[in-house]
Amino acid sequence: MLACLDVDYRPELTVAACVLFRDWPAGSEASLLVDHGPPAAPYEPGHFYRRELPHLLRVLAMVQEPLEAIIVDGYVWLGEDKPGLGAHLYESLNRAVPIIGVAKTAYVTTGPALPVLRGQSLRPLFVTSVGMDTATAAQCVRRMHGASRIPTMLNRVDRLCRES
């Protein structure tokens, strides 16, 4: 099973969502999970993971099936030796599940990010990973369902967060 995760912040609560799907080219989800948690911690520059990680872990605790990989909206690495949200999630999961970061904008010091063009878009997505070779992760993101720049399952989890 594969999982896409996202978090939506509101003044009174934080919504974390997980879309589970069976294979990279899948066009529909196998399951949807939503966790309504307390308001997120304040944003700290350079420490975004502190704000989002607790919510991701709560929604992941609801997953009943083994995961092949987890896709997060953002970066795994912020630089050669600087862990981002995905790297912190990987460590929190005892390095048991590969994490793929898919970011929509370039980060100045991302280092090992690979640009991936999808659909007719001329703007790439930026893919980073841990527990899986980055080139393999980029191929997986290319194979994800959807004719547009953003894969269907990433759009789905984003909407699920905002609409829950």
Side-chain angles (χ1 to χ4, degrees):
M1 192 67 62
L2 301 163
C4 286
L5 303 177
D6 204 358
V7 177
D8 183 55
Y9 307 104
R10 300 174 196 170
E12 69 285 359
L13 64 96
T14 300
V15 178
C18 176
V19 171
L20 297 169
F21 58 107
R22 298 193 191 289
D23 194 19
W24 294 105
S28 61
E29 66 273 356
S31 181
L32 303 173
L33 301 168
V34 176
D35 177 75
H36 295 89
Y43 172 71
E44 296 177 53
H47 299 285
F48 171 71
Y49 73 93
R50 289 181 184 162
R51 180 179 177 133
E52 193 150 317
L53 185 60
H55 305 284
L56 295 180
L57 291 173
R58 253 198 333 278
V59 77
L60 279 172
M62 300 165 68
V63 175
Q64 299 296 312
E65 302 175 50
L67 294 174
E68 175 186 333
I70 296 170
I71 303 99
V72 296
D73 178 11
Y75 282 97
V76 172
W77 299 104
L78 301 176
E80 289 296 330
D81 293 319
K82 183 163 177 156
L85 172 64
H88 287 284
L89 178 59
Y90 184 67
E91 292 299 324
S92 294
L93 298 174
N94 298 313
R95 302 179 178 190
V97 182
I99 309 294
I100 298 170
V102 177
K104 296 172 207 79
T105 56
Y107 186 75
V108 178
T109 60
T110 53
L114 290 180
V116 171
L117 291 172
R118 288 180 38 90
Q120 301 300 314
S121 180
L122 298 177
R123 292 184 5 206
L125 296 171
F126 300 92
V127 176
T128 53
S129 66
V130 62
M132 173 189 284
D133 177 71
T134 304
T136 301
Q139 280 292 19
C140 291
V141 171
R142 264 188 211 94
R143 290 179 50 219
M144 290 179 79
H145 183 271
S148 66
R149 177 178 180 237
I150 308 299
T152 300
M153 294 299 126
L154 286 175
N155 271 330
R156 181 71 175 112
V157 75
D158 176 68
R159 277 194 329 270
L160 184 60
C161 270
R162 287 185 284 118
E163 294 170 359
S164 293

